[in-house]
Amino acid sequence: MSAPTELPVPDTVDVRSGPEVSDQLLSVLPLLGEWHGEGQAAGTGGDHRFGQWVRFSHDGRGFLAYDSRTWRLTDDGKIVGPDVRETGFWRPRGDGDDVELIVAGADGVLEIYVGAARTTTSWELATDVVARTPDAPEVTRAVRLYGIVEGALMYAVDRAVGGGELRPTMSARLERIR
């Protein structure tokens, strides 16, 4: 068994270690860290509970890397198997509170969001572009709200499928673990 690969320029989820934090990240800095918790999802497969791990990290440049993994849970909290998986980048823009979010999902949907910080610990973003592979869900637009409330990261994602209206898709409450 080989030793784990060490990258020459590591990411960090901590302002006290690793590369210096870019001033460009000030509007999204409260997100930095690893978060874990549970949420509720709705969709074509029916409503279900899920567990989630999210990581916001940086390498000293002016963006946060975003990784999210979820797993389906039964009503009594037993793990059923993997669920939604996403990766992307939070990119603060300009001198203000504007932010872009690029999210690629394992389901074949790529979403580019634009939005802004609403407060020092909340963000609202709406899709500017949605692209998808031929077999991906027919997502046509989406809105994401994120906020840190009493130390917990809470979020809600609403999506429109086809020409339909925005509908709640998933929401969760995550606690900081690092």
Side-chain angles (χ1 to χ4, degrees):
M1 186 169 182
S2 62
T5 302
E6 292 294 326
L7 298 174
V9 181
D11 283 1
T12 184
V13 297
D14 188 346
V15 295
R16 294 177 287 290
S17 66
E20 187 172 326
V21 176
S22 168
D23 289 343
Q24 293 173 294
L25 294 180
L26 294 179
S27 67
V28 295
L29 195 57
L31 294 169
L32 187 66
E34 287 186 33
W35 304 81
H36 183 270
E38 288 189 15
Q40 186 70 30
T44 56
D47 295 356
H48 67 276
R49 287 177 56 193
F50 64 88
Q52 184 171 23
W53 169 87
V54 173
R55 181 177 198 246
F56 298 93
S57 60
H58 79 96
D59 64 4
R61 292 182 283 173
F63 61 85
L64 290 181
Y66 162 76
D67 289 295
S68 171
R69 294 183 184 188
T70 66
W71 48 94
R72 285 185 93 119
L73 298 172
T74 62
D75 288 339
D76 61 352
K78 290 189 173 89
I79 297 171
V80 176
D83 203 10
V84 176
R85 188 166 181 175
E86 297 179 332
T87 191
F89 300 95
W90 284 70
R91 299 167 25 99
R93 307 299 340 139
D95 295 332
D97 294 330
D98 293 341
V99 65
E100 298 168 351
L101 171 59
I102 302 165
V103 177
D107 61 355
V109 177
L110 173 67
E111 299 163 313
I112 299 175
Y113 292 84
V114 294
R118 296 170 62 184
T119 67
T120 58
T121 58
S122 66
W123 303 265
E124 182 172 0
L125 305 117
T127 49
D128 185 44
V129 173
V130 177
R132 58 188 184 81
T133 60
D135 63 344
E138 293 184 41
V139 176
T140 54
R141 63 190 177 104
V143 172
R144 290 182 182 229
L145 300 172
Y146 289 82
I148 298 175
V149 179
E150 298 177 357
L153 174 60
M154 301 175 76
Y155 73 86
V157 178
D158 293 351
R159 285 199 170 104
V161 176
E165 297 292 317
L166 284 170
R167 298 200 183 276
T169 303
M170 60 191 306
S171 61
R173 178 186 174 95
L174 310 174
E175 301 293 333
R176 185 183 299 274
I177 56 175
R178 204 161 65 121

